[in-house]
Amino acid sequence: MASEIPEESKCQNVYLGKSGLRVSNICLGTLTFGESNMGQPGQLDEAGSHALLNRFSERGGNFIDTANVYGRGRSERIIGSWLASQQRDRFVIATKVFFPMDRSNPNSMGLGRRHIMDSVEQSLKRLKTDYIDLLQTHVWDDATPLEETLMTMNDLVRSGKVRYVGASNVTGWQLQRIVELNKQMGFNACISLQQQYSLVCRESEQDTFQACKLNGVGVLPWSPLKGGFLTGKVRRGQKPQEGRLAWSADDDTLELQSAPTWAQLNKTTNWTALEAAEKIAKAKGKSVAQVSLRWLLQKSVVSSVIIGATKMHQLDDNMDASNGWTLSEEEMRQLDEASQPEIPYPYELIRRLNVRRNNPWNATGYV
Ligand SMILES: NC(=O)c1ccc[n+]([C@@H]2O[C@H](COP(=O)([O-])OP(=O)(O)OC[C@H]3O[C@@H](n4cnc5c(N)ncnc54)[C@H](OP(=O)(O)O)[C@@H]3O)[C@@H](O)[C@H]2O)c1
């Protein structure tokens, strides 16, 4: 089966940030695996999930992202039952910790030592493995001292239960604090940042990604297609009729943050970005999803893009962004320009006043 996929259309391997870990430049996100705990439609059962994993692996993918909380453990369990039939050391398994697994237990949430340790033990059992390649903090925790979190993560690396540590959903100063504290304490470095990033979500470029560049932290964009919006299946002014976007269209509840509402999608800036991607896709004979993913892959801070899929043809479509073609400098510029969000103060002022302050010996550059 593997021989049917031509080598040149398989995923490329890249370094994850400045670490020595090699991952495929497409990471398979598994939020769609197993019955959703949020009632999300289009979720995959075990057989459907395993079919996607098989295909992903045949196409050169080795990097799989999950979280303890996805389907309250169901996603990790499905990966575990698949991994048991695979050569474990061929895959890089990333999971996360923060969200509550049992709301009746006050210690079942956050980034305190007790929850991180318990969560990792449970993840290992569900994943049927004795080590996690990348353990990521799912979101910044205001309640726990950062020292406690980082020391626990470091202890897990020293014990061999975790190989590398990463973060998700943080601001620039928070990431810089993580990096510096790890250095001061002689802890393992944070090698990656999983952050929402797409043609319609570029806010992290202002600050967080500058901290990534400065410290060699590889960015792993999540929701790269904004839940399906950047595939061209939603037209300007017409509410989505199918899939996750239709389900979340009129719901503003906090829990649905990974599924944008119609109010969040229906903005002039989003349509402008989408239509620029559509134009380039048409001219190049590529899909809108491929152009949107390729734009991310060509950003210097990005290591690997975390895709999501509910159907095999979506996986294939998305994986075709990984190799064998590029967007030209001019196409990148057009997409950058069409999707440029308003830059807030002080970022805009600093940028404007530094337009001619170009010292190649002191180049920070923008993402
Ligand atoms: N760290 C975090 O806080 C965080 C948050 C969210 C996600 N994540 C990670 O990021 C991964 C990806 O996020 P995401 O699922 O939101 O990604 P996404 O790419 O923005 O959206 C994926 C959804 O879009 C639709 N889709 C995907 N490819 C398509 C294609 N080629 N054509 C048409 N429709 C397509 C499918 O939904 P329908 O079939 O329902 O339309 C699919 O489930 C997750 O699995 C998870 O691992 C992390």
Side-chain angles (χ1 to χ4, degrees):
M1 193 69 182
S3 57
E4 286 175 19
I5 315 271
E7 225 27 64
E8 62 278 11
S9 59
K10 285 190 178 178
C11 281
Q12 282 183 324
N13 285 316
V14 293
Y15 287 102
L16 185 47
K18 69 175 178 187
S19 81
L21 184 65
R22 300 279 285 173
V23 294
S24 46
N25 65 349
I26 300 284
C27 172
L28 183 59
T30 61
L31 190 63
T32 52
F33 285 12
E35 183 198 333
S36 159
N37 48 316
M38 299 193 265
Q40 211 154 299
Q43 295 291 123
L44 292 156
D45 61 14
E46 187 168 35
S49 307
H50 285 184
L52 278 199
L53 283 163
N54 286 334
R55 183 78 178 155
F56 176 69
S57 160
E58 280 161 23
R59 299 199 52 161
N62 75 342
F63 192 18
I64 299 163
D65 179 67
T66 184
N68 57 350
V69 74
Y70 290 174
R72 294 250 148 71
R74 282 181 284 267
S75 171
E76 285 185 331
R77 245 177 251 119
I78 288 175
I79 295 168
S81 60
W82 180 79
L83 207 54
S85 67
Q86 304 293 314
Q87 206 182 319
R88 169 66 183 89
D89 65 0
R90 307 289 302 180
F91 296 94
V92 176
I93 308 294
T95 191
K96 312 184 197 83
V97 55
F98 175 83
F99 288 103
M101 294 297 284
D102 171 4
R103 284 181 192 278
S104 65
N105 178 355
N107 276 310
S108 171
M109 182 176 184
L111 298 178
R113 173 172 282 268
R114 165 74 191 270
H115 182 228
I116 295 180
M117 288 290 187
D118 288 351
S119 179
V120 164
E121 289 304 332
Q122 296 307 314
S123 289
L124 288 171
K125 280 194 195 120
R126 288 190 290 261
L127 288 164
K128 293 190 197 304
T129 181
D130 49 14
Y131 67 95
I132 291 162
D133 293 282
L134 178 68
L135 180 66
Q136 304 156 110
T137 51
H138 209 148
V139 65
W140 178 263
D141 183 1
D142 265 340
T144 307
L146 187 58
E147 288 84 346
E148 177 177 335
T149 303
L150 298 183
M151 190 176 289
T152 308
M153 303 281 276
N154 193 59
D155 288 346
L156 283 163
V157 175
R158 289 170 64 95
S159 74
K161 291 183 180 179
V162 167
R163 294 285 158 90
Y164 291 92
V165 296
S168 180
N169 301 314
V170 295
T171 64
W173 74 261
Q174 290 167 349
L175 182 65
Q176 195 58 36
R177 188 83 191 106
I178 291 171
V179 166
E180 278 166 16
L181 210 51
N182 273 331
K183 259 190 215 158
Q184 271 172 31
M185 317 269 283
F187 292 163
N188 276 80
C190 169
I191 64 165
S192 61
L193 176 69
Q194 194 175 132
Q195 197 89 336
Q196 188 179 163
Y197 189 27
S198 72
L199 279 167
V200 293
C201 181
R202 295 180 55 190
E203 287 69 16
S204 295
E205 288 177 359
Q206 298 311 319
D207 215 9
T208 316
F209 293 170
Q210 304 307 323
C212 288
K213 271 180 88 172
L214 200 62
N215 298 289
V217 174
V219 172
L220 304 172
W222 64 260
S223 276
L225 300 175
K226 197 70 181 177
F229 178 79
L230 289 165
T231 64
K233 64 183 172 187
V234 186
R235 318 297 313 173
R236 190 186 277 261
Q238 291 173 12
K239 266 193 181 180
Q241 296 301 314
E242 53 162 314
R244 198 197 303 177
L245 295 179
W247 167 73
S248 61
D250 295 313
D251 200 328
D252 279 319
T253 61
L254 254 185
E255 281 231 290
L256 306 181
Q257 279 305 294
S258 63
T261 63
W262 177 239
Q264 288 165 340
L265 291 179
N266 190 24
K267 293 182 178 156
T268 308
T269 46
N270 291 349
W271 298 117
T272 307
L274 173 64
E275 284 160 10
E278 282 173 339
K279 194 171 158 207
I280 290 174
K282 202 169 169 204
K284 284 184 98 70
K286 298 287 175 190
S287 72
V288 184
Q290 286 161 12
V291 168
S292 305
L293 295 170
R294 192 71 225 168
W295 176 80
L296 286 168
L297 284 165
Q298 287 181 218
K299 290 286 173 185
S300 61
V301 284
V302 170
S303 283
S304 177
V305 175
I306 313 177
I307 60 162
T310 58
K311 298 173 188 76
M312 192 63 82
H313 72 85
Q314 294 176 349
L315 179 85
D316 279 327
D317 185 17
N318 298 346
M319 290 195 80
D320 279 341
S322 67
N323 208 346
W325 63 285
T326 53
L327 289 166
S328 68
E329 265 181 45
E330 173 55 20
E331 288 161 341
M332 286 296 284
R333 195 199 56 73
Q334 285 171 15
L335 288 167
D336 283 344
E337 205 175 284
S339 64
Q340 181 62 61
E342 198 178 319
I343 304 179
Y345 169 85
Y347 307 101
E348 186 278 330
L349 177 118
I350 294 168
R351 225 182 241 222
R352 186 160 34 86
L353 299 187
N354 276 279
V355 163
R356 288 186 194 85
R357 306 281 302 152
N358 231 337
N359 176 354
W361 297 98
N362 188 36
T364 44
Y366 290 97
V367 174

